[in-house]
Amino acid sequence: MTARDPDRLVAAAGRGDPNQDQHFLVDDRVLDRIPEYASAFDLSHVLEIGPGAGALTDRLLAVSDHVTVIERDAALVGFLETEFAEAVADGRLTILEGDGMEIDLPDYSVCISNLPYGISTPVTFRLLRRHRPAVLMFQAEVADRLVATPGTSDYGRLSVGAQHYADVEIVEPVPPEAFDPQPAVDSAIVTVTPRTPEYEVPNDQAFLDLVKALFTQRRKTVRNAIRNTVHISGIEHPEAVIDALPDSIVGKRPDALEPAEFAEIAVTAARIDE
């Protein structure tokens, strides 16, 4: 079946509003490649957040048994219901109106989305906690932070959090010209492959709270960062935690720690604070 023309979809749906974080992907070559990046995953039920005018939705329907899209713009929801009426009637497409940060998510097998950039980070963490694979479009600087390694300028809370849940990889840079209207930044497609970390944590929330806390002091040593951030980390006995940890950890800066070293801090704090 011939794919729908993305320019026609945008013209029919109404051009996106950049002030509403609407940048519709219209490059046929990029649209065709995105499902290919997900070919190793289970495509039986695809979740798409922010379908816009439906160009990617059209490609996903060609490879999936069922697609669920979440769109917050009521006018776009109405357009999608009309444009894809046959797929809706056949039970192959479910269109949900709502905010991707708040709406109940279905039991999907993979998420494939051109995420609204303004909510891409919190939505990504919501998706990561579901332990499902994903192929996601990000602002390039966010993609760089997702895959960053310790000791680099891009390495931070987002890097550690994402890599705690999954293997993340940038698979394609995407220029502004691929969108209508064009964003002011470059973009990138990232694959997210869930995995179990090789280290233990007390629980995910305690681990993520610790990572968040220490990165507010990324220029300090871990020793001083632990002392200065108990109001964020919840650590009750910071000096005991510091004394129990090796100098190879507390003498570093937070931006030099591997995820496993953050985990060691979290486990040590949980044991001492019991």
Side-chain angles (χ1 to χ4, degrees), residues 2-257:
T2 303
R4 288 171 167 84
D5 177 2
D7 292 316
R8 179 190 69 78
L9 291 173
V10 170
R15 196 161 185 263
D17 181 358
N19 294 325
Q20 298 296 319
D21 213 11
Q22 293 176 341
H23 301 279
F24 301 149
L25 185 60
V26 294
D27 188 307
D28 281 301
R29 296 163 298 179
V30 179
L31 285 162
D32 288 341
R33 284 194 292 268
I34 288 177
E36 295 177 5
Y37 293 126
S39 60
F41 303 138
D42 176 4
L43 293 170
S44 59
H45 186 178
V46 175
L47 172 67
E48 183 186 8
I49 298 174
L56 180 56
T57 308
D58 184 50
R59 268 66 173 187
L60 298 178
L61 286 167
V63 299
S64 176
D65 297 330
H66 189 84
V67 177
T68 296
V69 301
I70 297 174
E71 176 55 60
R72 69 181 181 181
D73 187 314
L76 287 173
V77 169
F79 169 75
L80 293 168
E81 289 173 340
T82 300
E83 179 67 30
F84 294 96
E86 182 177 345
V88 173
D90 290 344
R92 298 184 54 243
L93 176 63
T94 300
I95 301 171
L96 303 177
E97 182 178 345
D99 189 321
M101 277 299 300
E102 299 173 358
I103 195 169
D104 290 338
L105 300 179
D107 187 20
Y108 64 94
S109 62
V110 60
C111 180
I112 305 176
S113 303
N114 172 29
L115 292 175
Y117 290 170
I119 61 169
S120 63
T121 296
V123 166
T124 297
F125 273 104
R126 189 179 190 203
L127 295 172
L128 286 166
R129 292 186 178 98
R130 297 294 293 266
H131 301 284
R132 297 287 188 271
V135 178
L136 305 171
M137 182 85 74
F138 291 97
Q139 184 175 334
E141 68 175 38
V142 175
D144 289 340
R145 287 161 53 201
L146 283 166
V147 304
T149 55
T152 63
S153 60
D154 288 325
Y155 187 68
R157 174 189 171 198
L158 181 57
S159 319
V160 178
Q163 293 167 35
H164 171 66
Y165 288 102
D167 291 322
V168 288
E169 180 184 1
I170 296 175
V171 293
E172 182 176 342
V174 181
E177 294 77 19
F179 301 87
D180 183 12
Q182 294 183 18
V185 296
D186 289 336
S187 304
I189 301 169
V190 173
T191 58
V192 178
T193 306
R195 56 154 173 73
T196 301
E198 297 178 351
Y199 49 80
E200 298 293 327
V201 297
N203 59 70
D204 283 352
Q205 195 56 55
F207 173 76
L208 295 173
D209 286 346
L210 173 72
V211 172
K212 176 183 178 181
L214 296 191
F215 270 110
T216 67
Q217 305 270 306
R218 64 182 297 141
R219 300 300 179 189
K220 305 288 188 180
T221 63
V222 170
R223 180 182 291 106
N224 287 330
I226 291 173
R227 290 174 175 142
N228 296 341
T229 60
V230 293
H231 60 295
I232 303 173
S233 68
I235 292 176
E236 296 178 9
H237 303 93
E239 293 303 327
V241 172
I242 291 166
D243 289 343
L245 291 167
D247 189 64
S248 60
I249 288 180
V250 297
K252 289 181 179 178
R253 297 192 326 187
D255 59 7
L257 294 180

